[in-house]
Amino acid sequence: TIFTQILVWTGLLLLPLIFFRPPPDMPNSVSHNSIHVTISFFLLIGFYYLNYYVLIPRFYLKKKTAFYLISVIGLFFAVTIISNLFIHSFIIQSNNNIGPEPPIFGPAMLFFVVVLFVSLGLRMNFEWKRAEAEKIEIEKEKMNAELSYLKAQVNPHFLFNTLNVIYTLATMRSDQTAEAVMKLSNLMRYVIVDVQAPFVPIEKEIDYIENFIEL
């Protein structure tokens, strides 16, 4: 995931630098544009991760829409002003120009909105997948609880009935008493110990069924 994000950010950074063509009468504009794009780009990267990991979980997902909008608007002006301050400072130093220039909001707003909705969409998709995974896990735990409940309902009745059978054999002094006790012991070992594993050998399942039928 980290490698993919690095490739995507690098590709987005190189696109405007590759396809930008400066006017003939402004040979220095390519360097100015490169600096402006680079600075704005890294500021937008910072906003993307700040929005993805901090603003959306703390404000948007907790229904604090007003705080979220105020934070986003404030960050937009901060990103725009900081990027313009850097490029204006570079232009003044390179051209010995001390005249101030107004900040540029148009292109910055476009890229800012794109990054905003991309981070918001990806975060919501992540939250949706996590909710689905939690839902599946809850259903699985519910099913396991129901199975455990059924075992708790079946085993005591089976145990009482089998003990009654063994008691009857004992009063009759039957030779099958010891064998019945051993079969009951094997059954209880299977139910209490063996079935706790995710998988059970088919031989043990067959032995369990045969002992159950014989008892």
Side-chain angles (χ1 to χ4, degrees):
T1 302
I2 296 176
F3 181 72
T4 303
Q5 293 185 19
I6 292 175
L7 288 180
V8 172
W9 286 121
T10 304
L12 292 177
L13 174 62
L14 293 178
L15 283 178
L17 301 181
I18 293 175
F19 293 102
F20 177 76
R21 294 293 182 271
D25 57 341
M26 299 178 62
N28 294 329
S29 60
V30 64
S31 60
H32 296 168
N33 180 77
S34 301
I35 294 176
H36 194 190
V37 169
T38 304
I39 295 173
S40 300
F41 180 80
F42 283 107
L43 289 174
L44 288 176
I45 290 179
F47 167 72
Y48 172 88
Y49 289 106
L50 181 64
N51 188 46
Y52 188 93
Y53 290 106
V54 179
L55 298 183
I56 296 177
R58 290 189 179 182
F59 299 131
Y60 188 83
L61 296 179
K62 294 183 178 180
K63 309 300 181 182
K64 298 179 181 180
T65 309
F67 289 101
Y68 179 74
L69 292 177
I70 293 173
S71 301
V72 169
I73 294 174
L75 287 172
F76 166 72
F77 284 103
V79 168
T80 304
I81 293 174
I82 292 174
S83 62
N84 279 279
L85 286 177
F86 273 101
I87 186 60
H88 292 161
S89 175
F90 177 80
I91 294 175
I92 291 173
Q93 293 178 3
S94 60
N95 298 338
N96 294 323
N97 182 10
I98 60 174
E101 298 183 17
I104 304 173
F105 289 99
M109 179 179 294
L110 174 61
F111 288 106
F112 188 89
V113 171
V114 170
V115 172
L116 170 64
F117 281 101
V118 168
S119 59
L120 185 60
L122 292 177
R123 182 70 193 198
M124 297 307 296
N125 181 68
F126 170 78
E127 293 294 335
W128 177 78
K129 288 183 177 180
R130 185 171 66 175
E132 288 294 320
E134 291 178 353
K135 181 180 178 181
I136 294 175
E137 186 65 24
I138 291 174
E139 291 293 333
K140 183 178 178 181
E141 292 178 357
K142 180 181 177 182
M143 184 178 299
N144 291 334
E146 291 175 352
L147 290 175
S148 299
Y149 177 76
L150 289 176
K151 291 178 182 178
Q153 292 296 314
V154 173
N155 291 342
H157 292 291
F158 174 78
L159 177 61
F160 295 149
N161 293 334
T162 305
L163 289 176
N164 288 332
V165 171
I166 295 175
Y167 172 79
T168 303
L169 293 175
T171 57
M172 296 171 57
R173 300 184 183 276
S174 172
D175 295 336
Q176 295 180 335
T177 303
E179 182 181 358
V181 172
M182 181 59 63
K183 290 183 182 297
L184 177 61
S185 175
N186 293 334
L187 287 177
M188 297 308 297
R189 182 183 299 108
Y190 177 84
V191 172
I192 297 175
V193 178
D194 294 339
V195 297
Q196 300 300 322
F199 298 96
V200 178
I202 191 66
E203 292 83 2
K204 290 186 177 182
E205 185 76 17
I206 294 175
D207 292 339
Y208 172 81
I209 295 175
E210 290 179 347
N211 291 333
F212 185 89
I213 294 174
E214 291 177 6
L215 281 177

